[in-house]
Amino acid sequence: MASLTPPAETKPGGGQQEQWQGLEDSIQDPEEMRVLCCALDSFLQYPKVAHFNSTHLRRQSFYALPRAHWELLAKPPFNYLDTLTAVDDAIDSNAELARAIVTSGLQSFHLSSLPTPPPATPSSGLPTLPEAWQGVARNSDVDKARSTIRQFYRDWSAAGAVERESCYGPVKEALDDERSSPRSGASKRGGQDDEEEEPFRVLVPGAGLGRLVFDLCASGYESEGNEISYHQLLASSYILNGTEGAGQHTIYPWVHSFSNHRTRANHLASCTVPDIHPATELKRRGPNAGSMSMCAADFLCLYSDGEHRDHYDAVASVFFLDTAPNLIRYLETIYSCLKPGGVLVNFGPLLWHFENNAPGNHGHDDDGDGVHDAKNSNGIADPGSFELTDEEVTALVEHMGFKIEERRTDIEAPYVIDPESMLKTVYKASFWVARKAGPGGQALGLVASTPSNAQKQ
């Protein structure tokens, strides 16, 4: 995806700069526009699809039972039909958040002349896409919209604080230690003692709904998030820039599945989002807050350029490295954009996203020479992929010129998990801190060689 610039930036006190450029200025590629509109349309289609899958089909199956059976289940203590009505109400509540995301997105990309601030309830009017883009979302797009709504539980609800602490906690602690260390890459502007210290810059690739980016900003860092998914970008932009207060929306994260619930109350459990109002919180922090930005782009395409070389004091990767089809390119890019002596702080499992589904031309190099052309790159879509074990990942990290200074394994890390469910899948994540060689240090890295004519044959 192309970079959308300038990114949304929040300054201390909650002041907002221009969030996004207009669509006509930012997206020239018709395919890029299609992907954006598919994401917007998927949030609009969410309630229709969710009602159909969650309650309509179940009502059909319910009334297909023998009459004596469905009559029994319709009465107390089961009240199955009442349950389906409650599920419909819960989906409608989730849909209010989905519509608010769309309204905000239409304004951000100059696709709508709706009033500001964006309406957050159905009574304010339903957002609509330009006619040419209505109904373009595919089933996979709607699945992503539903997943994004559920992810608000993890990143922007009080109930999700336990999940956030398990993965963000070690990362923030390591960054705090690094910022306070004398060996930190942060330096005085102009090299003078009386000059103001440069901000400690942290890049958060795969920033998702932006909570870690926000938390770092609130703690005084200059944090920059990067995300390629328009579902995540639209949702994070709304929650960071468009909400009017804490607890504005009520969502039901577990309502789409009827399995492994101990009680119906658990099935229909709700939470309010956001747990804090971002602008109010930054204003409360005053001069102690840092700054933040979110950039929409392919991580490899954007951060491999000269403008970002030696720019960041730290890269915080949380549930990110396993999104790489080619981890070597991720590590090359991270190494390039870190300052000498900067650190990569990583937390996550190894659920390799491209396993059995290599990007590019069915996983093959188009011209067959085996050489990566950095000037003509498709970023994450470049051909080829591989998967490593956790032990092999750390070996590769050190081979690329990093020095691993701290490592912990088997850290329990739930990810959008119902704490009351009868079935729980919890990652055993790995956490480590790796330092780039300092000034004068020798980086190992890789040197691409051009195959000889004999090798090509």
Side-chain angles (χ1 to χ4, degrees):
M1 288 187 176
S3 173
L4 301 182
T5 55
E9 185 168 0
T10 303
K11 295 295 183 183
Q16 301 290 327
Q17 292 186 351
E18 179 70 14
Q19 293 179 26
W20 306 99
Q21 285 184 322
L23 181 64
E24 67 280 3
D25 297 326
S26 301
I27 302 181
Q28 305 299 327
D29 183 0
E31 176 62 16
E32 185 83 358
M33 187 184 300
R34 185 194 67 79
V35 174
L36 167 64
C37 290
C38 281
L40 289 166
D41 187 55
S42 69
F43 283 110
L44 292 178
Q45 288 195 35
Y46 159 76
K48 176 182 177 181
V49 174
H51 283 307
F52 180 82
N53 290 331
S54 299
T55 60
H56 176 74
L57 294 179
R58 280 186 171 84
R59 286 189 177 93
Q60 288 185 327
S61 297
F62 181 79
Y63 284 116
L65 293 168
R67 185 181 184 90
H69 294 182
W70 67 254
E71 286 183 341
L72 170 65
L73 294 173
K75 298 176 182 178
F78 311 106
N79 300 315
Y80 195 76
L81 291 175
D82 291 343
T83 293
L84 296 182
T85 298
V87 168
D88 279 328
D89 291 341
I91 290 171
D92 287 339
S93 185
N94 289 348
E96 291 184 19
L97 173 59
R99 284 189 288 267
I101 292 170
V102 174
T103 301
S104 175
L106 291 172
Q107 292 180 323
S108 296
F109 289 97
H110 298 184
L111 282 169
S112 172
S113 59
L114 291 171
T116 301
T121 62
S123 60
S124 302
L126 299 178
T128 57
L129 282 168
E131 186 174 356
W133 296 109
Q134 294 177 15
V136 295
R138 301 163 298 184
N139 289 338
S140 59
D141 298 312
V142 181
D143 286 343
K144 292 176 184 177
R146 183 181 66 247
S147 175
T148 300
I149 292 169
R150 292 180 69 246
Q151 194 172 335
F152 276 95
Y153 163 84
R154 171 182 173 84
D155 276 340
W156 290 101
S157 80
V162 173
E163 288 197 13
R164 293 196 297 275
E165 180 58 29
S166 70
C167 60
Y168 299 159
V171 172
K172 291 190 284 187
E173 181 180 356
L175 291 173
D176 287 345
D177 290 344
E178 178 66 16
R179 181 171 57 175
S180 62
S181 171
R183 64 189 177 188
S184 168
S187 60
K188 302 285 187 180
R189 287 197 181 112
Q192 302 297 322
D193 291 340
D194 59 348
E195 293 290 331
E196 181 184 358
E197 286 189 1
E198 286 189 355
F200 192 97
R201 297 189 182 97
V202 183
L203 173 63
V204 183
L209 295 185
R211 184 57 184 258
L212 180 58
V213 178
F214 172 81
D215 285 352
L216 293 175
C217 169
S219 296
Y221 293 92
E222 183 179 295
S223 58
E224 178 178 335
N226 165 247
E227 180 57 55
I228 194 172
S229 165
Y230 273 124
H231 287 83
Q232 302 282 303
L233 287 161
L234 292 165
S236 63
S237 178
Y238 171 66
I239 208 73
L240 289 168
N241 302 306
T243 52
E244 298 177 353
Q248 184 171 335
H249 297 278
T250 299
I251 63 168
Y252 295 78
W254 324 124
V255 74
H256 306 103
S257 172
F258 280 62
S259 297
N260 287 308
H261 297 295
R262 295 185 186 278
T263 67
R264 196 58 68 190
N266 171 233
H267 179 202
L268 297 170
S270 66
C271 60
T272 59
V273 297
D275 58 317
I276 57 173
H277 184 231
T280 300
E281 180 64 16
L282 290 184
K283 185 175 182 179
R284 186 183 69 82
R285 298 289 180 111
N288 293 321
S291 63
M292 64 178 290
S293 60
M294 285 286 286
C295 193
D298 183 303
F299 172 70
L300 296 176
C301 291
L302 179 61
Y303 294 97
S304 296
D305 63 13
E307 181 181 347
H308 293 90
R309 186 180 301 277
D310 299 340
H311 186 70
Y312 301 96
D313 297 286
V315 173
S317 62
V318 178
F319 281 75
F320 174 70
L321 292 186
D322 57 0
T323 67
N326 182 350
L327 181 59
I328 293 173
R329 291 213 51 215
Y330 267 32
L331 294 175
E332 287 175 335
T333 301
I334 292 170
Y335 195 94
S336 173
C337 68
L338 277 173
K339 295 178 181 179
V343 292
L344 166 58
V345 183
N346 178 72
F347 184 99
L350 291 176
L351 180 64
W352 295 107
H353 285 38
F354 287 92
E355 185 173 1
N356 301 319
N357 186 29
N361 184 21
H362 302 289
H364 301 291
D365 184 20
D366 288 334
D367 56 14
D369 64 2
V371 178
H372 168 65
D373 181 3
K375 296 182 179 179
N376 187 27
S377 173
N378 292 316
I380 197 172
D382 280 342
S385 68
F386 62 91
E387 300 83 34
L388 299 180
T389 67
D390 188 47
E391 183 179 53
E392 291 167 339
V393 167
T394 54
L396 179 61
V397 168
E398 294 211 316
H399 185 80
M400 300 300 294
F402 292 93
K403 176 64 177 177
I404 294 181
E405 299 183 344
E406 178 184 358
R407 183 178 179 226
R408 284 180 270 156
T409 59
D410 294 330
I411 303 173
E412 291 198 354
Y415 197 96
V416 195
I417 296 298
D418 176 5
E420 302 300 324
S421 174
M422 298 170 68
L423 174 65
K424 298 178 184 178
T425 301
V426 179
Y427 293 107
K428 291 295 188 74
S430 178
F431 167 77
W432 42 263
V433 179
R435 188 174 302 278
K436 176 179 176 177
Q442 180 65 40
L444 298 178
L446 296 179
V447 178
S449 58
T450 303
S452 64
N453 289 334
Q455 287 176 315
K456 290 181 180 180
Q457 294 173 358

